[in-house]
Amino acid sequence: MSSMIDKTTAEDRRAAADILDDLQAVLSAAAVELPSLGIDWRSATSTGVILIDLGAARPDVIERLVVVLRRGKRP
């Protein structure tokens, strides 16, 4: 049987997974790969808050990410 926190965060967990998929698609289209990108499911289990972990990446990868973000920035 699922714990109460699993039941109360089910929708948030699905939304986080969808958002992560969207982020991976956008980054992939821009040729940016964050190798440790993922969802921190443990945080949800202990706090009820779902976190997307951007993880660690080399400086050149983060530089490409910054370029992508700057291009997409709207005034």
Side-chain angles (χ1 to χ4, degrees):
M1 180 185 276
S2 295
S3 71
M4 183 58 80
I5 201 159
D6 287 341
K7 291 178 185 176
T8 59
T9 62
E11 185 175 328
D12 291 339
R13 287 184 284 120
R14 280 190 297 276
D18 289 344
I19 291 166
L20 179 62
D21 288 345
D22 289 347
L23 176 59
Q24 287 176 317
V26 168
L27 292 176
S28 179
V32 175
E33 181 181 344
L34 298 178
S36 303
L37 185 62
I39 297 176
D40 181 357
W41 297 115
R42 289 177 300 189
S43 66
T45 304
S46 60
T47 66
V49 176
I50 292 90
L51 300 174
I52 294 179
D53 188 354
L54 300 178
R58 296 185 324 263
D60 61 305
V61 173
I62 298 303
E63 183 177 31
R64 288 196 312 269
L65 177 58
V66 168
V67 168
V68 170
L69 292 171
R70 284 186 176 145
R71 285 183 188 155
K73 186 177 123 180
R74 291 186 169 85

